[in-house]
Amino acid sequence: MTHKDTARLYKLLSGPDEYLFLLKCCILLPDRPGELAALSVMVGQWKANIVRFYYNRSEHPEVVLLEIVGKREVDLRSLIDLFTEKDYFEDKMTLGIHQNITDPESILNVKVRLENKPGTLGAYSKLLSEHGANVIYMLYDEDKDPHSAQIVLATPNPKDVRSILKEMNERDYYYKVLYDGKDASQIHEIIGLKLNERFFMRLNHLLEPSDAEEIKKIIRSTEEVSRKLISFSQEAGEDLEKGDVYAQILALASTSIARTGHRFKPLKMKVIESDDLTFIGWKMPTGGNIYLMKVDGKTVLFDCGYGIYFKDFVSLLKSEGFAPEHITDIYLTHADADHAGQSGLFEREFGTHIHAHPDSIQIFKSGDRSWGIRSRHSPLNLHFTRLINQFTEITPPGKEITTFSTNTIRKIGHFNVIDRFELGKYTFEVIESLSGHIKGNVFFFCSGLGIFISGDYLLDVSSLSNDEIVNLNRPRFLMTSTNLNSTVFKKEMEYLKEWLMEEKKNRKSKLTICPGHGKVYQI
């Protein structure tokens, strides 16, 4: 693809019988140090002056929008010929050749005063190239501010940032530092960083220094993550700005990744432990709770958390005396990644049978948690689902899922009981939600044990840590609401509380609520 057709020449009246010539064009500079200096020298050789320069590496690593003024038309036409000779109009970007920036302390965001005359930008660019600095964002616009430019640059080493500032002082540049790498929490505000770079810097900030090798391994697979993020940003459009979507997605993903391995520390929750029955749960570092029931030699799970925790969770099971290969079944409340992420892995590794609502199959297939419910935010839900699935490594079941019946057996309050299954002498009823949270959402109720598995309903917020509350709320920033229909969801919450209160009146013992997040509690 060529951008030569973007080059336009204009004749401007600058005074009585005096004219200037303006060249507007889009060129492509390689994403490496020294290219801006070389361009500035080239323009200066033809006694022309750059009056507008816009480059944002996060939008495209090579595209530069230029406006150049000269006194002679022939000089600007010569520049066009020189740009053509240098292949500046040819789109030659190749994935994987571009520098990846991974250290926030190697970044400098500065607003610098530059005289509006030929050679000024070239001199400053030469200073940067002498220190191996690569410009990742620059905006200079004579019409808006003829005396200064905002520049974001990345250096090979953090000490080079200090060296550049020292030399700017020695050369009497007037400038204001907007960011110098000292506060990594501000990294999401830096223009010019690629999305995957923001992700890895956030990840680097969360992990211990001794885990640097883990970072390097992840960076080696950058391009797939980069493509996911770029696709998300392009397709999500204007909705992307709601709630600082970039920062929220990266924070959720990096927090989950940072709590694997030796940092994987789930909270064990004992519900029932006796000689013939075990029912326990684990509150995962991020994402949904996992519950295990063992009775009459049969072991099953209710929900199974993010896929990224699979190896750690298998090790946990073994350390607790449960053989993963003996887990015969997993019953899913719904198809969100934080509740169903490991289901396909258990199926593949241990032959576990997966049980879910028929609508969950469609959500797995489409990769869209808003499947079956259309709204103006449905596209954003789709992109969010696929991105979170990528980061948290969801593995949906690969074989045929055992689906619950959807025929009504009986009514409890406003809800339908659609199926039943036996675990030992205990009967579990499958209760269909009204789809306020997600299609295919079900609850599990065992009257004999007084256990109600509620998924993402009836959370005990007081049992959640501040970090857990933040992580739970992040999807709200991404999708406006975690619930596909918030009005229906609120009604469901009221209906569930009404039914449970009525159920409690008819019982001699308490009911145990096993929520999808937070601690188990009794009513």
Side-chain angles (χ1 to χ4, degrees), residues 281-501:
W282 292 277
K283 189 155 71 77
M284 294 290 103
T286 60
N289 295 344
I290 302 176
Y291 295 98
L292 177 147
M293 182 171 173
K294 183 176 181 180
V295 61
D296 290 350
K298 183 182 179 73
T299 307
V300 304
L301 298 180
F302 294 93
D303 285 346
C304 53
Y306 279 137
I308 200 168
Y309 295 133
F310 176 67
K311 289 183 180 179
D312 296 314
F313 183 62
V314 166
S315 296
L316 173 68
L317 287 172
K318 292 177 180 178
S319 69
E320 293 278 354
F322 300 106
E325 62 271 19
H326 292 165
I327 294 175
T328 58
D329 302 87
I330 296 177
Y331 297 90
L332 300 178
T333 58
H334 59 291
D336 273 341
D338 60 335
H339 293 262
Q342 299 181 39
S343 56
L345 295 168
F346 269 95
E347 176 192 70
R348 185 179 69 199
E349 297 295 322
F350 308 117
T352 308
H353 299 289
I354 312 302
H355 305 257
H357 191 283
D359 288 346
S360 292
I361 298 176
Q362 302 305 319
I363 293 171
F364 287 138
K365 287 181 177 179
S366 66
D368 181 5
R369 76 178 306 277
S370 65
W371 176 87
I373 299 178
R374 308 310 300 170
S375 73
R376 66 189 187 93
H377 295 299
S378 292
L380 194 56
N381 268 284
L382 170 61
H383 307 312
F384 166 79
T385 308
R386 291 178 178 173
L387 200 57
I388 291 301
N389 287 353
Q390 168 73 19
F391 279 134
T392 62
E393 300 180 11
I394 185 175
T395 304
K399 299 178 182 178
E400 187 173 343
I401 296 175
T402 302
T403 56
F404 302 125
S405 166
T406 54
N407 298 322
T408 301
I409 297 173
R410 72 182 184 103
K411 298 280 289 188
I412 52 171
H414 294 79
F415 301 97
N416 295 328
V417 175
I418 57 173
D419 208 342
R420 295 190 178 105
F421 56 89
E422 306 292 327
L423 294 177
K425 64 181 179 180
Y426 302 103
T427 300
F428 279 78
E429 292 186 303
V430 182
I431 304 169
E432 188 175 43
S433 79
L434 306 181
S435 300
H437 180 61
I438 187 174
K439 291 284 285 184
N441 201 128
V442 298
F443 316 115
F444 302 114
F445 177 58
C446 179
S447 178
L449 293 173
I451 288 176
F452 182 70
I453 301 170
S454 62
D456 283 344
Y457 293 72
L458 302 176
L459 309 186
D460 179 11
V461 178
S462 65
S463 73
L464 300 172
S465 68
N466 288 334
D467 284 347
E468 288 172 319
I469 291 172
V470 169
N471 286 330
L472 278 172
N473 282 330
R474 277 183 177 129
R476 295 189 183 187
F477 293 106
L478 307 176
M479 304 178 294
T480 303
S481 171
T482 54
N483 303 312
L484 297 186
N485 189 321
S486 294
T487 301
V488 173
F489 182 81
K490 289 176 182 178
K491 288 182 179 179
E492 287 180 294
M493 292 285 279
E494 294 172 5
Y495 296 156
L496 284 172
K497 290 174 184 177
E498 289 175 7
W499 167 65
L500 287 169
M501 289 302 102

